Amino acid sequence: MAIADRLDLIDRDTLCGWLSERQISEGQGKGGLNGRPEKKEDVCYSWWVLSSLAILGRVHWINREALVSFILKCQDPELGGFADRPGDMVDVFHTVFGVAGLSLLGFEGLEEVDPV
């Protein structure tokens, strides 16, 4: 919708409410984002969900610190890169999505990517 310049057709509060509910409760020691209810968090949604919130001006609707913490827990401290979840094998796709998510969160040392 952003590419077509038709964000005016979106009910931002309803959509962003649903998107912000994709953050797994930090009270459970998590803070990552999932793609739909009842699913586990995954680093790739740090891009998919967060870029949508950024386009709609609602990144502040999620807990930034909890999401940064989750993304960094998915990083391999020895070999580098990011996995979908802590302890899993890193791959190039989750690495790109993790770094892009961190950039949208204003992580120090990264330039912000254009979410569109």
Side-chain angles (χ1 to χ4, degrees):
M1 299 303 283
I3 292 170
D5 196 27
R6 292 311 314 255
L7 290 176
D8 60 301
L9 298 176
I10 295 173
D11 179 341
R12 290 178 188 232
D13 288 343
T14 299
L15 177 56
C16 292
W18 187 88
L19 289 167
S20 65
E21 288 175 1
R22 305 288 46 86
Q23 187 165 37
I24 304 295
S25 173
E26 55 275 5
Q28 299 172 4
K30 310 247 183 178
L33 299 164
N34 65 21
R36 57 191 192 272
E38 306 302 322
K39 294 296 181 178
K40 293 182 179 181
E41 67 279 1
D42 188 315
V43 161
C44 67
Y45 293 108
S46 301
W47 168 252
W48 299 117
V49 172
L50 197 57
S51 63
S52 298
L53 287 169
I55 290 167
L56 298 169
R58 303 288 200 288
V59 170
H60 63 282
W61 283 23
I62 55 128
N63 183 322
R64 178 195 181 278
E65 292 76 25
L67 182 53
V68 167
S69 176
F70 172 75
I71 295 170
L72 294 178
K73 287 177 187 170
C74 296
Q75 186 177 26
D76 186 320
E78 295 178 17
L79 301 175
F82 291 87
D84 58 346
R85 291 179 195 88
D88 286 354
M89 178 83 67
V90 301
D91 63 73
V92 67
F93 298 107
H94 286 92
T95 298
V96 168
F97 295 139
V99 172
L102 288 171
S103 82
L104 289 175
L105 293 166
F107 193 77
E108 185 177 343
L110 296 177
E111 291 187 30
E112 186 175 336
V113 298
D114 181 347
V116 177

